[in-house]
Amino acid sequence: MCIFCKIVNEEIPAAVVYSDDDVIAFRDLHPKAPLHVLIIPRRHISSVNDVEADDAAVLGRLFVAARAVAESEGVAKSGYRLVMNTGSHAGQTVDHIHLHILAGRAMSWPPG
Ligand code: 5GP
Ligand code: ZN
C-alpha cells in the first residue's frame, strides 16, 4: 500500500485540514511555502497518466476541496498555486495523485 493510502487509512499520522467522503487534505511534511497542503482522492490513482473517464468526478472534488482549504487557511484573497506533478521530469515522488496547494508568499513563474 502506498504512503498516501496509509494516511487515508490512518495507519500513519498526518495533519488533516479537510476531509470528505472522496478526498482528504493534509499538511505537507516538508513545506515549500508558509501554507503547503496536499489534496488527494481517498481512492488510489497513481498519476495523471492513469486517469480514467470514471475518475472525473473525484478529481473535480480535489478542486472543490482546494477552494475550501484556501478559504479556511485564509489565502483565498492573497492567492495560491495549485500544482500536480506527473512523472520524473516534473518531480513526482509519491505515486498517489495529489494536488499541491502552496500559498503565503509571492511565487515566481515559470517554475524551476
Ligand atoms: P510530489 O513530489 O510527488 O509532487 O509531492 C509529494 C509530496 O509529499 C512532497 O512535497 C513531500 O514533502 C510530501 N510527503 C512525502 N511523504 C509524506 C508523508 O509521509 N507525509 C506528508 N504529510 N507529506 C509527505
Ligand atoms: Zn495510494
Side-chain angles (χ1 to χ4, degrees), residues 60-106:
R61 297 291 304 172
L62 298 181
F63 288 88
V64 176
R67 181 190 176 174
V69 171
E71 289 179 356
S72 65
E73 295 290 325
V75 299
K77 273 196 172 165
S78 53
Y80 50 92
R81 184 165 293 175
L82 299 177
V83 175
M84 189 173 279
N85 296 320
T86 303
S88 60
H89 274 192
Q92 183 177 7
T93 58
V94 177
D95 289 338
H96 182 131
I97 206 166
H98 48 282
L99 188 63
H100 296 255
I101 176 167
L102 297 139
R105 62 170 172 81

Side-chain angles (χ1 to χ4, degrees), residues 9-92:
N9 290 341
E10 298 181 356
E11 288 175 28
I12 63 170
V16 174
V17 298
Y18 175 91
S19 176
D20 65 29
D21 287 348
D22 299 316
V23 165
I24 68 165
F26 51 90
R27 297 191 194 282
D28 196 290
L29 205 55
H30 304 291
K32 304 298 189 291
L35 177 72
H36 189 174
V37 165
L38 303 171
I39 306 170
I40 71 170
R42 289 181 177 275
R43 183 164 55 78
H44 182 92
I45 302 167
S46 293
S47 82
V48 174
N49 285 340
D50 302 281
V51 165
E52 309 275 4
D54 283 352
D55 300 325
V58 72
L59 295 176
R61 297 291 304 172
L62 298 181
F63 288 88
V64 176
R67 181 190 176 174
V69 171
E71 289 179 356
S72 65
E73 295 290 325
V75 299
K77 273 196 172 165
S78 53
Y80 50 92
R81 184 165 293 175
L82 299 177
V83 175
M84 189 173 279
N85 296 320
T86 303
S88 60
H89 274 192
Q92 183 177 7

